[in-house]
Amino acid sequence: MPETPERNAIEVRGVSKVFGFGPDKVVALDDVHVAIRENEFFTLLGPSGCGKTTLLRLIAGFDFPTDGEILLHGQDIAPLPPHKRPVNTVFQSYALFPHLTVAKNISFGLEMLGRPKDEVDARVDEMLKLVRMEELRNRSTAQISGGQQQRVALARALAPQPKVLLLDEPLSALDYKLRKEMQIELKRLQHETGITFIFVTHDQEEALTMSARIAVMSAGNILQIGSPEAIYDRPAVRFVADFIGETNFLEGSIEERAAGGARVRISSGAVIDASVAEGFQPSGRVTVVVRPEHARLSAEGGQLAGRLSNIVYFGTDTHFHVELDGGGEFIVRRQNARDDRGTARIGDPVSIVIGAGAAQVLRD
Amino acid sequence: MASGRSNFSIRHQPGFTTVAVLCFALLYLPIVTLVVFAFNAGRSVAIWEGFSLRWFEAAWNNERVIEASIRSVQIASVAAVVATIAATMAALATTRTRPYRGLTFKYAFINQPLMIPEIVTAVALLIVFARIKVATGYSGLGYLIVAHTAFCIPFAYLPIRARLESMDLTLETAAADLYATPWKVFTRVTLPLLWPGIIAGLMLAFVISLDDVVITEFVKSGGQDTLPTYMLGQLRRLVTPEMNAISTVFLLISILIVTVFFFISRRST
Ligand SMILES: Nc1ncnc2c1ncn2[C@@H]1O[C@H](COP(=O)(O)OP(=O)(O)OP(=O)(O)O)[C@@H](O)[C@H]1O
Ligand SMILES: [Mg+2]
């Protein structure tokens, strides 16, 4: 098989991980394939327990795959113990050494690599500057705040200039404002260092704003890999559409097939033209998804009809909950404009216009 | 619950204060009396005849006291160090592993000396060592050191294991991630974090060995008195405030060890 010309930092090939035996067996990863490009900000996104940490631990070498192989720059890293892998980790709990100062934590990796002292000192200074912690270099790690600990953990992992940096939910312990700040900081660091970042989160908004590409995981499987736009606009399966952003689900059955699309009769009797994901041959009962911001309310002429049941104001936008005539609920989101507040009232009969190409038929 | 008063508090139960005071009195009054009479000018341990340091002087000039003290410290030092090393290895082996069938049994096995009556161990050792003595002809301090080491291990083991169990395992993973070989992980991360537990184990073992009477009494050969067995032997004959003076010094040393340990453990947390 010909090699792809593009350089992959990490390639995970058919990796499975099973914990335990017999009835207690847990399949944490099930035949996972993913290629992460060099200098990429790559995110593993998925709900709790889907196997994100397990995949990171396999890449770092803290645990071994039950099956499959992991390549680093094309080399199988299975024979390498963790301390021989040019991969560093930022742990969810930070795992800073409590008996060492901030500076000594940062220099730990370089010292273990046996780098000369002046090089270590210079690099520690550089790292302290990079994460803006110069004043706290001689503090004990027990005497700094959560956000500062987070930055020390980052500096410590970046100092040895790893080929790949693994970040396991590094921001989940921070409060909202600090998290937003650190998201920007992380993107800056990734850009400045040019190191491949594999970032784990269960926060879909964090994944969308930070990543070059996202892999959405569920129950040990990767369901879709793609850019934030691709994942959001063209979810491959129902789970992805449901997990990322808000989505309206309409149940229906295929009325007619066309190239790249289908005509679907939904349970209320209305007929909707929807696109179909590549390589999917829908038949019988299907689910159609529509993002709330891809539909609008109108007095008449839409594909769906119903009655306004609730209006929720969110500052930047407003959500209109519509009780559909044939049963079920549909949410329409509208960006708020200064001089247009709308005149809709709860209880009004409304019609919903679904934008061209906004409806998609998804596989479950 | 709105106020602390509505919580159950043992301190507000009738009789609590009486019991508490009684316990403290029983614990500390005899010791206070003992210390006071160490400074008695007369020969009695019950009738005060004025202040004097003569019994401290007498103890200091008593060759057999000094000899027994040195022997005690020798045995306790070697036994405590060897026991602590063994206990550290045992603690690492029983905590740095996934739980498996038989692990509880292993804990019990290591802690067994805490549960077996000391007199049984003493008799058993006496019989075994007697045979070895006949077979080898060796009758030095080795037997006492081996015996003390053996019964000190569980005491050293407890604080070390407690420390290891409260240690965050990801710290070791993090060190390995940062290119530390398994040996470096141990010397640069595990050991420094374990240190307070090791010091605690060492001191506990030292004090336990210093204090032992029963096993020492059975195992020792002629002329191998430790301070406690010497004191026991003396008390059988006649009681003078010299015993009080020795006990007072003994007490001071214990307090000193505990204080030092307290500061070491406080500094490292
Ligand atoms: N050492 C282990 N022994 C047994 N089961 C394990 C072990 N480690 C993980 N698992 C199981 O494997 C599955 C995946 O765990 P993992 O820690 O990778 O999830 P995660 O995606 O990181 O979740 P979270 O977002 O909660 O951190 C879970 O069902 C978990 O219970
Ligand atoms: Mg996890």
Side-chain angles (χ1 to χ4, degrees):
Chain A
M1 222 163 69
E3 284 291 313
T4 42
E6 191 163 27
R7 290 255 290 170
N8 284 328
I10 292 280
E11 211 178 320
V12 175
R13 285 188 185 163
V15 163
S16 296
K17 178 68 190 178
V18 181
F19 292 106
F21 302 96
D24 302 331
K25 184 166 99 164
V26 178
V27 181
L29 291 174
D30 184 11
D31 191 27
V32 166
H33 289 264
V34 57
I36 295 153
R37 296 177 198 135
E38 232 171 275
N39 306 342
E40 187 171 37
F41 198 121
F42 191 90
T43 296
L44 297 172
L45 172 67
S48 186
C50 70
K52 306 178 300 283
T53 299
T54 303
L55 186 54
L56 283 200
R57 288 176 57 83
L58 296 183
I59 295 172
F62 306 144
D63 220 329
F64 302 100
T66 312
D67 213 341
E69 55 181 5
I70 298 172
L71 311 186
L72 176 80
H73 290 319
Q75 298 265 309
D76 186 2
I77 50 173
L80 298 181
H83 68 273
K84 291 203 175 127
R85 297 191 183 187
V87 171
N88 287 150
T89 308
V90 177
F91 294 86
Q92 181 164 2
S93 58
Y94 309 147
L96 297 178
F97 303 126
H99 60 300
L100 300 178
T101 61
V102 166
K104 280 281 165 197
N105 263 277
I106 297 174
S107 66
F108 191 91
L110 295 162
E111 279 171 30
M112 290 302 117
L113 286 170
R115 298 283 165 74
K117 195 176 175 317
D118 37 338
E119 186 194 322
V120 173
D121 290 345
R123 190 100 186 99
V124 169
D125 288 341
E126 192 188 325
M127 282 297 124
L128 284 166
K129 209 163 141 201
L130 192 69
V131 297
R132 311 203 172 102
M133 292 278 293
E134 291 107 314
E135 293 87 45
L136 300 178
R137 63 177 305 146
N138 292 321
R139 276 287 181 89
S140 146
T141 53
Q143 298 166 344
I144 56 178
S145 73
Q148 291 165 339
Q149 288 181 16
Q150 211 282 323
R151 278 184 289 192
V152 175
L154 252 173
R156 181 179 73 173
L158 283 171
Q161 289 167 306
K163 296 245 166 53
V164 177
L165 188 71
L166 308 175
L167 303 105
D168 193 356
E169 307 201 26
L171 308 181
S172 62
L174 305 179
D175 63 46
Y176 182 79
K177 196 155 180 297
L178 199 53
R179 197 157 70 227
K180 292 285 151 203
E181 264 173 51
M182 286 308 300
Q183 287 177 1
I184 295 167
E185 188 108 342
L186 268 182
K187 278 188 91 162
R188 175 180 71 88
L189 283 173
Q190 199 271 331
H191 187 74
E192 281 177 23
T193 56
I195 290 171
T196 308
F197 276 33
I198 305 181
F199 182 86
V200 162
T201 182
H202 58 251
D203 179 341
Q204 43 111 356
E205 188 188 321
E206 195 165 275
L208 290 174
T209 53
M210 300 182 70
S211 330
R213 285 193 310 150
I214 299 171
V216 183
M217 295 181 71
S218 167
N221 291 290
I222 292 186
L223 301 180
Q224 188 174 3
I225 302 174
S227 67
E229 296 82 4
I231 298 270
Y232 187 83
D233 288 338
R234 295 182 298 283
V237 293
R238 184 186 168 126
F239 179 89
V240 175
D242 198 12
F243 190 68
I244 292 164
E246 272 180 278
T247 307
N248 293 298
F249 293 98
L250 300 167
E251 308 298 332
S253 54
I254 299 283
E255 183 97 342
E256 194 187 323
R257 293 282 329 260
R263 178 160 284 215
V264 181
R265 179 174 297 279
I266 62 161
S267 31
S268 66
V271 174
I272 297 175
D273 283 320
S275 62
V276 175
E278 217 176 299
F280 175 39
Q281 302 293 330
S283 61
R285 296 207 59 79
V286 293
T287 304
V288 175
V289 297
V290 181
R291 295 286 186 196
E293 68 274 21
H294 292 162
R296 67 184 165 82
L297 295 181
S298 97
E300 54 194 6
Q303 295 95 318
L304 300 169
R307 196 166 284 278
L308 206 51
S309 63
N310 202 0
I311 301 174
V312 186
Y313 177 69
F314 277 91
T316 54
D317 48 34
T318 303
H319 291 194
F320 297 90
H321 294 243
V322 179
E323 197 69 43
L324 292 179
D325 281 346
E329 198 191 46
F330 194 100
I331 298 172
V332 173
R333 175 149 65 204
R334 202 192 57 184
Q335 184 93 26
N336 289 328
R338 194 163 181 79
D339 42 4
D340 173 25
R341 290 276 145 144
T343 53
R345 295 267 176 284
I346 290 175
D348 285 355
V350 289
S351 180
I352 297 168
V353 180
I354 295 170
Q360 290 173 72
V361 179
L362 289 190
R363 105 184 80 184
D364 280 334
Chain B
M1 258 162 273
S3 79
R5 288 300 299 263
S6 57
N7 289 333
F8 172 76
S9 167
I10 187 80
R11 294 167 63 181
H12 296 126
Q13 299 308 303
F16 175 79
T17 314
T18 323
V19 172
V21 168
L22 212 67
C23 283
F24 279 112
L26 277 173
L27 259 174
Y28 288 103
L29 266 185
I31 295 178
V32 170
T33 320
L34 175 134
V35 171
V36 166
F37 279 93
F39 297 95
N40 196 358
R43 296 188 61 85
S44 169
V45 292
I47 305 154
W48 183 252
E49 289 172 45
F51 178 87
S52 139
L53 290 176
R54 63 179 280 211
W55 297 113
F56 287 92
E57 215 181 306
W60 182 250
N61 290 324
N62 185 338
E63 237 170 69
R64 298 196 46 205
V65 170
I66 299 301
E67 211 179 276
S69 303
I70 291 173
R71 194 172 295 117
S72 273
V73 171
Q74 276 176 343
I75 294 170
S77 308
V78 179
V81 169
V82 178
T84 305
I85 292 171
T88 306
M89 295 198 286
L92 282 168
T94 49
T95 52
R96 288 295 180 267
T97 161
R98 298 212 173 163
Y100 57 90
R101 210 183 297 259
L103 193 61
T104 321
F105 178 72
K106 219 172 249 183
Y107 287 145
F109 200 71
I110 291 167
N111 290 320
Q112 159 272 350
L114 296 179
M115 281 162 256
I116 292 188
E118 212 185 341
I119 188 76
V120 175
T121 314
V123 173
L125 285 175
L126 175 72
I127 296 167
V128 173
F129 286 162
R131 295 226 162 171
I132 300 177
K133 270 181 207 175
V134 171
T136 61
Y138 171 74
S139 62
L141 273 188
Y143 299 106
L144 278 176
I145 290 175
V146 169
H148 278 228
T149 304
F151 71 70
C152 281
I153 288 176
F155 292 96
Y157 173 78
L158 289 178
I160 297 173
R161 184 184 140 198
R163 182 86 191 170
L164 268 174
E165 282 185 339
S166 68
M167 204 188 282
D168 181 6
L169 270 180
T170 27
L171 294 175
E172 292 175 6
T173 311
D177 186 57
L178 291 161
Y179 314 105
T181 59
W183 176 246
K184 285 276 187 198
V185 173
F186 180 68
T187 56
R188 299 288 296 264
V189 175
T190 315
L191 208 50
L193 291 173
L194 195 53
W195 210 234
I198 293 178
I199 297 289
L202 189 73
M203 294 206 167
L204 204 55
F206 187 79
V207 171
I208 294 287
S209 162
L210 217 52
D211 188 43
D212 181 73
V213 177
V214 179
I215 290 178
T216 312
E217 189 67 32
F218 277 70
V219 171
K220 73 180 173 60
S221 309
Q224 285 187 344
D225 265 323
T226 60
L227 194 57
T229 61
Y230 168 76
M231 286 165 73
L232 188 67
Q234 284 307 103
L235 285 171
R236 286 209 193 99
R237 271 165 248 150
L238 85 165
V239 185
T240 65
E242 186 181 342
M243 284 303 120
N244 298 43
I246 297 169
S247 304
T248 303
V249 174
F250 216 155
L251 183 68
L252 270 179
I253 292 172
S254 306
I255 292 174
L256 197 75
I257 291 177
V258 171
T259 314
V260 167
F261 164 67
F262 176 75
F263 278 106
I264 289 178
S265 62
R266 206 179 54 167
R267 240 203 12 218
S268 57
T269 48

